[in-house]
Amino acid sequence: EAQVTQNPRYLITVTGKKLTVTCSQNMNHEYMSWYRQDPGLGLRQIYYSMNVEVTDKGDVPEGYKVSRKEKRNFPLILESPSPNQTSLYFCASAGGGYSNQPQHFGDGTRLSIL
Amino acid sequence: GENVEQHPSTLSVQEGDSAVIKCTYSDSASNYFPWYKQELGKGPQLIIDIRSNVGEKKDQRIAVTLNKTAKHFSLHITETQPEDSAVYFCAATYSSASKIIFGSGTRLSIRP
């Protein structure tokens, strides 16, 4: 089954404790992206990757890091999480290497930073 | 920066009636406009999309129209059903189709 898998689905942690949210897709997609969803703000793009070893900032990259060492994986790293990063996070992938193709989303990761 | 505005933020319609959600975008170079539906506890799912060389696209009860001159596009759902209740997001690509920006969402409720 074609899918985007995020882990963990829920996480409560404390300010400053490094964390990683993993994202994996099994569709051989070139384009992968991370979003955060906050009430009234929709989905905002954090980082995206157009292929292996190619990553770039979206609209809200501050406080986040990503890497794309393999095509299927695109982890999101919070080196020193802060309460304003409490949010619902989605990973997505798309074929073709660009954002102008249908994106497939994971089921989300709810992060709470205390 | 680039922007996509979506209206209304909430919409309640009687089952069987039509629903319309509207979006405007700022980047005249945007060329891809998808619509996503998000059900509770799930990630968004694509329901329909349109490219800049097309004015209208239909898929059963769902249609999207695009007015490039005015830089706006709309989602039309006819004969609404209870399972249409969800949050809907519009989006537009920009920066040479490397980035995508989403609207703030519309919560659609279908009254029985």
Side-chain angles (χ1 to χ4, degrees):
Chain A
E1 181 192 350
Q3 58 186 4
V4 177
T5 303
Q6 297 179 225
N7 279 297
R9 293 290 315 279
Y10 305 90
L11 179 64
I12 302 173
T13 187
V14 295
T15 299
K17 187 177 180 184
K18 180 179 178 180
L19 68 92
T20 300
V21 185
T22 63
C23 174
S24 180
Q25 50 96 1
N26 62 0
M27 295 166 280
N28 201 37
H29 283 167
E30 291 83 4
Y31 189 91
M32 296 187 75
S33 185
W34 276 102
Y35 303 89
R36 61 178 288 173
Q37 183 176 7
D38 301 290
L41 297 177
L43 292 147
R44 292 181 292 167
Q45 194 171 32
I46 303 170
Y47 268 95
Y48 65 94
S49 169
M50 298 172 84
N51 214 326
V52 177
E53 302 291 2
V54 180
T55 63
D56 209 344
K57 296 175 182 178
D59 290 332
V60 288
E62 294 77 20
Y64 304 95
K65 279 177 58 177
V66 293
S67 69
R68 187 92 182 273
K69 294 187 173 64
E70 310 160 279
K71 202 170 190 181
R72 63 182 294 128
N73 295 323
F74 190 44
L76 179 70
I77 302 154
L78 285 71
E79 295 264 4
S80 183
S82 62
N84 64 9
Q85 294 177 297
T86 292
S87 187
L88 179 58
Y89 291 85
F90 288 99
C91 178
S93 72
Y98 291 90
S99 64
N100 60 358
Q101 298 296 327
Q103 296 201 29
H104 298 252
F105 283 81
D107 281 337
T109 295
R110 188 167 290 282
L111 283 185
S112 295
I113 317 292
L114 305 177
Chain B
E2 303 306 335
N3 188 44
V4 170
E5 289 192 7
Q6 182 173 345
H7 298 281
S9 56
T10 60
L11 180 60
S12 178
V13 302
Q14 195 76 31
E15 183 177 348
D17 287 351
S18 295
V20 180
I21 303 170
K22 299 183 179 184
C23 290
T24 59
Y25 61 98
S26 58
D27 186 358
S28 55
S30 292
N31 61 10
Y32 177 66
F33 308 91
W35 285 89
Y36 289 87
K37 176 184 181 182
Q38 185 179 28
E39 295 176 340
L40 203 59
K42 296 284 189 184
Q45 271 199 304
L46 182 81
I47 54 170
I48 196 167
D49 55 10
I50 192 167
R51 298 190 184 273
S52 56
N53 58 348
V54 174
E56 183 173 357
K57 184 176 178 182
K58 248 183 143 173
D59 182 3
Q60 300 183 331
R61 297 186 297 108
I62 293 172
V64 56
T65 58
L66 171 65
N67 183 327
K68 281 179 60 180
T69 304
K71 288 192 279 188
H72 67 70
F73 56 113
S74 300
L75 176 71
H76 304 254
I77 306 174
T78 58
E79 300 171 17
T80 52
Q81 300 168 4
E83 54 264 36
D84 294 330
S85 292
V87 178
Y88 292 81
F89 292 100
C90 62
T93 57
Y94 69 106
S95 192
S96 303
S98 64
K99 296 183 179 182
I100 186 165
I101 186 163
F102 285 79
S104 53
T106 296
R107 183 173 298 278
L108 175 63
S109 301
I110 308 300
R111 304 190 303 270

